[in-house]
Amino acid sequence: KQEVTQIPAALSVPEGENLVLNCSFTDSAIYNLQWFRQDPGKGLTSLLLIQSSQREQTSGRLNASLDKSSGRSTLYIAASQPGDSATYLCAVSPPYSGAGSYQLTFGKGTKLSVIP
Amino acid sequence: DTAVSQTPKYLVTQMGNDKSIKCEQNLGHDTMYWYKQDSKKFLKIMFSYNNKELIINETVPNRFSPKSPDKAHLNLHINSLELGDSAVYFCASSQGGGYGYTFGSGTRLTVV
């Protein structure tokens, strides 16, 4: 059974700092890994999707890396801003069955606070 | 032009009632899902439908019954609501295996 762990559970940093959020998973047989952002009382916003054959993806100030063999992913946020304050969730999917549907296994998230 | 929309956003109801949550996506995706986020913020899959066919049916009480009238809609009906059903329910959609998920904004269900 796949398990996803995110460390730390909470993180507080001053504005402008670069930071790294960690995600680890127990079963390296994944199809893809997705990072989401959740704001209080809101839905999940997809940030980055990394296919199992990829090593990293970048979007603006965000960079996500994937080391499938070791079961790890990191989300790097450069020059953090107060607007980055949210909970960041990591989710992995099992090998794709071709049935059109695949489930995500989520970590419990890292709650990030960026202090002005 | 919301991609995945759920209604209602909030739902407060008494124990024993029956309620429904509706979900619609305008992305043209073939697959839709229901996820539950409990009080500890842990997200877990409940159901998935692909082109109106039930694909994933996790271990949830049979008081929960999904219905997909077409591939753009997936509704969740809950019978005989219990206190433990209080949670945030998220609808999502995806297309194929490599394109990621799009989530709705969630329905916060409170059973009193």
Side-chain angles (χ1 to χ4, degrees), chain B residues 36-71:
Chain B
K36 179 180 179 180
Q37 188 171 43
D38 61 25
S39 58
K40 296 182 179 178
K41 307 298 184 186
F42 194 52
L43 267 159
K44 192 171 181 182
I45 193 167
M46 300 173 71
F47 304 102
S48 78
Y49 271 76
N50 180 261
N51 276 319
K52 303 192 297 176
E53 179 184 355
L54 180 65
I55 302 295
I56 295 174
N57 183 357
E58 288 295 293
T59 307
V60 299
N62 57 16
R63 298 181 294 102
F64 290 78
S65 54
K67 282 189 172 53
S68 182
D70 56 62
K71 74 173 191 176

Side-chain angles (χ1 to χ4, degrees), chain A:
Chain A
K1 178 188 170 188
Q2 179 74 271
E3 292 183 1
V4 179
T5 303
Q6 291 187 245
I7 295 173
L11 181 63
S12 183
V13 300
E15 182 177 1
E17 264 202 15
N18 302 326
L19 59 100
V20 174
L21 307 181
N22 296 293
C23 171
S24 62
F25 43 95
T26 55
D27 186 349
S28 62
I30 65 167
Y31 189 73
N32 60 42
L33 183 146
Q34 200 164 357
W35 282 94
F36 293 90
R37 168 186 173 141
Q38 185 173 23
D39 293 280
K42 301 283 181 64
L44 280 73
T45 301
S46 178
L47 298 174
L48 290 164
L49 170 70
I50 310 178
Q51 304 292 350
S52 62
S53 58
Q54 297 175 322
R55 298 284 294 183
E56 66 177 343
Q57 283 286 343
T58 299
S59 175
R61 294 182 295 107
L62 305 180
N63 176 277
S65 67
L66 173 63
D67 184 342
K68 199 173 80 157
S69 60
S70 68
R72 293 180 183 177
S73 176
T74 61
L75 179 66
Y76 174 82
I77 302 177
S80 59
Q81 302 171 358
D84 295 330
S85 298
T87 296
Y88 290 80
L89 295 161
C90 166
V92 298
S93 65
Y96 184 53
S97 66
S101 168
Y102 64 99
Q103 70 180 73
L104 294 179
T105 300
F106 281 86
K108 292 187 178 180
T110 294
K111 185 174 182 179
L112 173 65
S113 298
V114 181
I115 312 302

Side-chain angles (χ1 to χ4, degrees), chain B residues 11-21 36 46 61 63-64 76-87 89 108-112:
Chain B
L11 187 52
V12 181
T13 187
Q14 292 187 327
M15 278 195 306
N17 284 351
D18 302 338
K19 289 294 179 184
S20 291
I21 306 171
K36 179 180 179 180
M46 300 173 71
R63 298 181 294 102
F64 290 78
L76 183 65
H77 188 75
I78 315 170
N79 290 326
S80 303
L81 278 155
E82 300 178 356
L83 293 176
D85 297 332
S86 296
Y89 293 85
R108 181 174 294 276
L109 171 66
T110 304
V111 182
V112 298

